[in-house]
Amino acid sequence: MSFPATRPRRLRATPVLRRMVRETSLAPDDFVYPMFVVHGRQVRREIKSMPGVYQLSVDQAVAEAREAAGLGIPALMLFGVPAVKDAVGSENFSEQGIVQQAVRAIKEALPELIIVADVCLCEYTDHGHCGIVRDGAIDNDATLEILQSAAVSYARAGADVVAPSGMMDGMVRAIRSALDAEGFVNVSILSYAIKYASAFYGPFREAAEGAPKFGDRKTHQMDPANAREAMRELALDIEEGADMVIVKPALPYLDVIRRVRDACQLPVAAYNVSGEYAMVKAAAANGWLDERAVVLELLTGIKRAGADLILTYHAKDAARWLRDELRV
Ligand code: PBG
């Protein structure tokens, strides 16, 4: 039957009717909140290109974690800004590393909150690359050993999940075997399985102080033009033992999120990255966009594309907005 008997507008008539037939719902449970931790005390330094996001010392990170947990957000993702950078990124696997300190402090204050530790070298190395550099190129296999030490070190500090983000071949298998060998069989791996060489990471590199000093990341991160290749990366990471996978960034890659969701049984996370956040904040600050409406729309779009989880700097605001939505 067609018009006039069929009228799709009937089911759009009121807010409650629309809620009743809504296909995709968003909840604080969907969010993972990324945070940047730095050495020092009482440090709360706003990142210029990411208004509302701060570099936090451990005491402040605990307070921030408490606020996020209070809003119903189940998990944090931690990135560290080390005191000293060197060729191998030593602070990445030091017991006194800033992420290790933050994990211990947050776990002590909020034992139930899930802590994900990002595992990559770029914030920790003096050259800003995601691996050990030899003759101007990243040595994949030498890098795996460092990633193993870092993952074990985060697990020892109390991280529930480790998230390798460096796009090294074999990183998931290497980390799984190192964790198991140390008895951390229950620490899971959230792999950045499909990470594109994106210009949308710009603000993050200010936040985490991890921009490459020469060259770029195109020899390991994926070409934005490729979607079939994403299926290859996905298959490899599943085979190597990933528990969950990330597609990153989110908004220019919604088709990839959908393909990944349809191709596997693992939880799929999408990373709504720093540049995506910065665009919204800049437009909202100018009065060009309604921040709340735009953020809820884009997060719903990422969920509708197939993401089970969304890593997003909007997490606290979105959780608050969702809580404040009218109920009948
Ligand atoms: C690497 C890492 C990056 C991001 C998360 N992990 C930066 C990069 O690959 O250059 C970017 C996240 C964002 O832009 O929000 N450790």
Side-chain angles (χ1 to χ4, degrees):
M1 263 205 285
S2 60
F3 178 79
T6 297
R7 290 175 183 267
R9 289 187 56 194
R10 275 186 202 118
L11 294 182
R12 297 178 198 142
T14 75
V16 179
L17 199 50
R18 291 195 291 272
R19 244 180 61 207
M20 197 177 92
V21 297
R22 189 160 292 151
E23 298 173 34
T24 308
S25 62
L26 208 55
D29 283 345
D30 304 330
F31 304 144
V32 178
Y33 183 47
M35 284 174 27
F36 301 95
V37 288
V38 295
H39 289 272
R41 263 188 219 161
Q42 300 289 326
V43 181
R44 201 176 170 82
R45 197 180 303 130
E46 191 165 40
I47 295 142
K48 267 204 296 302
S49 51
M50 299 176 73
V53 178
Y54 301 81
Q55 289 184 335
L56 303 166
S57 52
V58 171
D59 55 304
Q60 297 293 306
V62 171
E64 188 83 2
R66 188 168 281 121
E67 192 188 347
L71 288 163
I73 296 165
L76 305 177
M77 166 84 107
L78 296 184
F79 296 98
V81 182
V84 188
K85 297 180 190 246
D86 59 25
V88 296
S90 306
E91 198 182 307
N92 216 342
F93 46 89
S94 152
E95 214 186 299
Q96 286 314 312
I98 190 60
V99 167
Q100 286 83 346
Q101 292 185 38
V103 172
R104 286 193 293 268
I106 296 170
K107 269 287 159 192
E108 194 179 306
L110 301 150
E112 308 279 323
L113 190 63
I114 302 300
I115 301 193
V116 186
D118 182 87
V119 181
C120 189
L121 269 64
C122 61
E123 297 104 276
Y124 296 90
T125 49
D126 48 16
H127 44 68
H129 279 289
C130 307
I132 302 294
V133 174
R134 287 215 175 116
D135 302 326
I138 296 177
D139 182 335
N140 190 91
D141 300 7
T143 301
L144 296 181
E145 289 173 34
I146 310 272
L147 298 178
Q148 289 178 312
S149 309
V152 166
S153 172
Y154 294 140
R156 194 165 284 135
D160 304 279
V161 181
V162 292
S165 63
M167 289 294 281
M168 292 297 114
D169 291 335
M171 66 184 184
V172 173
R173 186 190 306 282
I175 288 173
R176 183 72 272 157
S177 68
L179 289 172
D180 290 356
E182 295 292 324
F184 298 111
V185 294
N186 293 322
V187 169
S188 42
I189 299 178
L190 167 61
S191 177
Y192 287 73
I194 297 147
K195 176 170 175 179
Y196 288 93
S198 171
F200 286 94
Y201 307 149
F204 174 94
R205 292 178 188 170
E206 178 197 341
E209 302 176 12
K213 297 284 183 294
F214 61 89
D216 53 38
R217 307 212 201 287
K218 291 181 180 160
T219 66
H220 49 104
Q221 299 180 349
M222 285 177 54
D223 184 333
N226 295 356
R228 270 199 321 262
E229 189 188 359
M231 298 297 103
R232 239 182 124 207
E233 286 283 1
L234 173 68
L236 269 172
D237 279 20
I238 293 174
E239 208 247 323
E240 292 181 26
D243 298 287
M244 303 177 267
V245 291
I246 298 180
V247 176
K248 173 185 176 185
L251 297 175
Y253 302 94
L254 296 176
D255 59 322
V256 178
I257 295 172
R258 169 48 54 197
R259 286 170 74 148
V260 169
R261 174 62 294 153
D262 290 344
C264 78
Q265 305 304 321
L266 303 183
V268 174
Y271 201 143
N272 175 218
V273 301
S274 58
E276 299 173 310
Y277 177 85
M279 288 194 301
V280 171
K281 296 302 271 193
N286 276 292
W288 297 339
L289 283 177
D290 172 346
E291 183 177 355
R292 172 185 165 137
V294 160
V295 168
L296 292 176
E297 180 177 339
L298 69 83
L299 294 175
T300 300
I302 295 168
K303 188 100 188 279
R304 193 194 62 243
D308 303 290
L309 296 168
I310 306 172
L311 296 119
T312 180
Y313 305 98
H314 297 293
K316 282 196 312 174
D317 288 335
R320 223 175 267 124
W321 293 326
L322 290 169
R323 183 191 63 192
D324 295 345
E325 272 187 359
L326 285 179
R327 295 273 168 254
V328 282

